Amino acid sequence: METAIVSNRMLGIIALYDLQTPFFNNVLDEISDEDAHNRLNTKANHVEWLAGSLVQQRFDLAEMFGATGHKQAAYDLFKENKGIQEGVTYPSLESYKKDWAYIAPICREALAKASDEKLNSMFEMPGMQFPFFDMITFSMYREANCIGQIALYRRLLGYGAMKYM
């Protein structure tokens, strides 16, 4: 049974969250670990980094909203919004899929329980602050953006289009 959504402001956010949750696995489907590390002779973030950063984002969101004590297996590679690192072997896509499956329901429940008071409170980071609601909105946008980047990589690497169903 799904947790009831406390704030009506979260209805659209949770709808996006639920939509994007299966897209993560769909966009990674059949991509080999070798291809997932291929940057196509560019400085672009590769699929392994994009996937790992998305997993970390969900772990971070869960923690921001009270679901503490959870870490992805590749936490040290992504903590504190760490960018892509040269010469690092990133975990397999299967590792990310496992962590995504673990954190997705935990994060969803934490977001569903968010009160208007929490959503209006300020999230602070060096040099900026904004309401937690804005942080969630940005996070959902970023998820869609990164999934779209991986979808483009799929085609550039010769894989079929991402399946939506």
Side-chain angles (χ1 to χ4, degrees), residues 25-162:
N25 286 324
N26 294 359
V27 79
L28 297 177
D29 188 44
E30 298 181 354
I31 297 177
S32 72
D33 286 329
E34 180 182 347
D35 284 342
H37 196 74
N38 186 343
R39 294 173 83 176
L40 300 171
N41 299 314
T42 70
K43 291 288 186 182
N45 296 320
H46 51 57
V47 171
E48 286 175 335
W49 186 88
L50 290 165
S53 72
L54 281 174
V55 171
Q56 186 61 45
Q57 179 175 292
R58 284 217 171 167
F59 274 87
D60 289 344
L61 271 176
E63 186 165 324
M64 284 180 215
F65 285 85
T68 60
H70 307 281
K71 284 193 168 54
Q72 76 158 308
Y75 172 77
D76 288 334
L77 292 173
F78 296 97
K79 66 182 176 185
E80 300 169 0
N81 300 307
K82 201 179 284 187
I84 195 166
Q85 300 167 68
E86 298 291 338
V88 170
T89 301
Y90 284 83
S92 71
L93 297 180
E94 289 306 314
S95 172
Y96 294 139
K97 288 178 184 179
K98 180 180 175 185
D99 283 340
W100 185 264
Y102 170 80
I103 199 59
I106 294 168
C107 185
R108 187 192 192 283
E109 180 177 354
L111 294 176
K113 289 180 177 179
S115 67
D116 284 324
E117 181 180 0
K118 175 66 175 182
L119 295 171
N120 292 332
S121 67
M122 299 306 281
F123 174 79
E124 296 188 30
M125 51 192 294
M128 59 183 6
Q129 67 175 22
F130 40 87
F132 273 92
F133 183 77
D134 293 358
M135 177 57 161
I136 296 169
T137 302
F138 171 77
S139 294
M140 291 303 101
Y141 160 78
R142 185 178 179 277
E143 273 192 9
N145 183 290
C146 289
I147 289 169
Q149 288 179 56
I150 297 170
L152 176 60
Y153 258 112
R154 289 184 64 78
R155 301 313 305 255
L156 295 173
L157 291 166
Y159 294 89
M162 180 184 105

